[in-house]
Amino acid sequence: MMTGSDSGSAVAGGLARHIPVLGRRAVEYLDVRDGGIYLDTTFGAGGYSRAILDAARCSVIAIDRDPGALAQAADLSAASHGRFACAR
């Protein structure tokens, strides 16, 4: 059973957190650098945005239509000290 977003799937005990399987590879291919600005057009649970923010002192702009994803984006925005923004 899947939830309405990429935030996870139902498992015993609650939702399982989504782990992007290509996170490290995506960061390598993007050649993430300090000062860069990156666009995540499939924010979902935010795994790729987090990986990009962790890789360098850069900024990420994310887009998602799912209200659940937008709630998670608010948490990441607060934790990223102005380096992350999400829009619907």
Side-chain angles (χ1 to χ4, degrees):
M1 177 175 145
M2 294 297 291
T3 64
S5 70
D6 287 343
S7 60
S9 58
V11 296
L15 292 178
R17 183 174 176 90
H18 173 77
I19 300 170
V21 296
L22 296 174
R24 183 180 308 161
R25 182 79 59 168
V27 168
E28 289 173 8
Y29 285 144
L30 288 170
D31 193 20
V32 176
R33 297 176 185 205
D34 289 349
I37 300 172
Y38 300 89
L39 182 62
D40 182 349
T41 60
T42 58
F43 179 75
Y48 293 107
S49 288
R50 283 183 185 86
I52 293 167
L53 290 167
D54 288 345
R57 295 288 308 162
C58 60
S59 297
V60 174
I61 300 168
I63 301 169
D64 205 299
R65 292 179 20 175
D66 181 1
L70 296 176
Q72 290 188 44
D75 293 341
L76 182 55
S77 182
S80 68
H81 308 289
R83 298 187 306 131
F84 175 82
C86 186
R88 182 171 194 183

